[in-house]
């Protein structure tokens, strides 16, 4: 199994965890309900968020290793991936700090979460999506 395939499969799981976390909070804030439903959605969001972080760590490690191997020979798509990935890590770090440490800034968490999911989707589409399209085309 190639490194690209392993990374792409992990990216599918990452996108699934991100989508679960995103949709659970969108449902919580977008359609307020009773306290039991709200607590359940928050728990789903928290579990999906930790799964997301657990999947992102090895992807970032393998990506950093790949970046070191490529050196200055990185393609434009690879450079865009790198810049977006660094942005994703920064926004995710800010969201985690906001939620865990700086609770007075909690009003910013929904916007940070939407940004994290948007960046995840964009990075997925320009890398794993591209890989799956190339594989399906037989290239």
């Amino acid at each position: 199994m190639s490194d690209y395939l392993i990374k792409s499969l992990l990216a599918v799981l990452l996108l699934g965890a991100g989508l679960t976390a995103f949709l659970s909070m969108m449902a919580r804030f977008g359609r307020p309900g009773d306290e039991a439903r709200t607590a359940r959605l928050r728990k789903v969001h928290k579990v999906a968020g930790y799964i997301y972080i657990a999947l992102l760590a090895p992807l970032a490690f393998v990506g950093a290793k790949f970046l070191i191997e490529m050196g200055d020979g990185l393609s434009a798509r690879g450079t865009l991936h790198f810049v977006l990935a660094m942005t994703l890590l920064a926004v995710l770090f800010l969201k985690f700090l906001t939620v865990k440490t700086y609770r007075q800034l909690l009003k910013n968490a929904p916007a940070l979460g939407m940004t994290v999911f948007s960046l995840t989707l964009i990075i997925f589409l320009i890398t794993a999506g591209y890989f799956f399209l190339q594989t399906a085309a037989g290239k």
Side-chain angles (χ1 to χ4, degrees):
M1 203 181 288
S2 74
D3 287 346
Y4 290 117
L5 180 59
I6 293 169
K7 263 193 92 161
S8 295
L9 293 175
L10 282 175
V12 169
L13 296 174
L14 179 78
L15 185 64
L19 184 64
T20 301
F22 174 71
L23 291 178
S24 63
M25 279 294 106
M26 291 298 281
R28 181 185 181 277
F29 290 124
R31 293 181 289 165
D34 60 0
E35 188 60 36
R37 180 177 174 273
T38 297
R40 189 179 72 243
L41 287 171
R42 285 181 62 208
K43 184 174 182 173
V44 166
H45 178 77
K46 186 176 184 176
V47 169
Y50 281 118
I51 292 170
Y52 180 91
I53 291 170
L55 289 167
L56 186 61
L59 283 168
F61 178 77
V62 172
K65 201 170 103 174
F66 181 75
L67 183 65
I68 292 167
E69 290 172 7
M70 290 303 294
D72 289 340
L74 201 59
S75 68
R77 193 169 43 82
T79 303
L80 181 61
H81 176 96
F82 174 71
V83 171
L84 290 173
M86 291 298 105
T87 305
L88 172 65
L89 290 174
V91 174
L92 183 62
F93 182 67
L94 284 175
K95 183 174 191 272
F96 194 79
L97 278 178
T98 298
V99 171
K100 294 296 180 186
T101 306
Y102 302 106
R103 306 276 303 168
Q104 68 274 20
L105 298 173
L106 204 55
K107 67 182 183 301
N108 298 318
L112 291 170
M114 286 187 266
T115 304
V116 166
F117 179 70
S118 297
L119 286 168
T120 302
L121 184 60
I122 292 166
I123 294 168
F124 176 83
L125 291 173
I126 65 171
T127 52
Y130 177 78
F131 173 76
F132 289 133
L133 282 174
Q134 289 292 313
T135 303
K139 292 185 178 187

